[in-house]
Amino acid sequence: MNRFRWLGLIGLLVLVVVVRCGGSASPHDPVRIRIPAIGVDASVQSLTVDQSGVLPPPDSYDVTGWWREGPEPGERGPAVIAGHVDSKRGPAVFFRLNDLGRGDQIFVDRADGTTAVFATQRIERHDKNAFPTDAVYRDTPDSQLRLITCGGK
């Protein structure tokens, strides 16, 4: 199934950050993502794949986008949030994603006022032509979050 090919057309390098949720959380639509270690505090918009099966990037460089057909952050499975790394004007929302360290916390605020809390596990780098679609979107036994951006420029 080739439904999720975001960023394959956008950049030379793809960063995937894998994080795990701490504790149980009820699933609700994400509205904001906060990553204190790298200064991220951004709204989250809903994203759906287009007719070609590609997950488009967020509309703006200072917001993120959540893959709506997937799990909500805090729900079992791999929730996916995408964001730009830069623009022609400079750094974008996920510019410092590569600076995350193991254990750095990520907070996803949800529409019901609750927050799902995740801890960074690892950062993966992939060539745009080798995007690990199955690994990113495959079901997981627990709540996980995937942060995705392109290499920029």
Side-chain angles (χ1 to χ4, degrees):
M1 177 163 40
N2 198 10
R3 292 179 13 192
F4 315 106
R5 295 178 290 143
W6 190 72
L7 299 172
L9 303 174
I10 297 173
L12 300 174
L13 176 71
V14 177
L15 295 177
V16 178
V17 177
V18 178
V19 294
R20 293 190 185 228
C21 187
S24 62
S26 58
H28 296 283
D29 287 0
V31 295
R32 186 155 217 84
I33 183 168
R34 295 177 289 119
I35 312 173
I38 59 171
V40 170
D41 186 350
S43 62
V44 179
Q45 68 182 79
S46 212
L47 298 176
T48 57
V49 295
D50 63 20
Q51 291 178 340
S52 301
V54 175
L55 185 67
D59 293 339
S60 175
Y61 295 100
D62 60 348
V63 302
T64 62
W66 161 62
W67 173 51
R68 185 160 194 63
E69 286 93 7
E72 296 162 337
E75 183 179 25
R76 187 184 67 75
V80 176
I81 295 180
H84 293 278
V85 71
D86 63 9
S87 71
K88 291 180 181 179
R89 292 187 218 161
V93 66
F94 279 170
F95 184 75
R96 294 188 54 215
L97 203 61
N98 196 42
D99 295 339
L100 282 175
R102 184 173 178 84
D104 285 343
Q105 290 190 317
I106 298 169
F107 303 90
V108 180
D109 300 328
R110 300 178 299 188
D112 69 343
T114 62
T115 299
V117 181
F118 298 87
T120 304
Q121 297 294 303
R122 67 183 180 276
I123 296 177
E124 300 177 3
R125 292 166 190 82
H126 303 277
D127 183 80
K128 69 175 182 174
N129 296 319
F131 184 78
T133 301
D134 291 339
V136 170
Y137 296 98
R138 176 180 35 228
D139 196 22
T140 61
D142 55 0
S143 176
Q144 295 186 15
L145 178 65
R146 310 284 199 247
L147 304 180
I148 302 175
T149 193
C150 63
K153 302 191 188 214

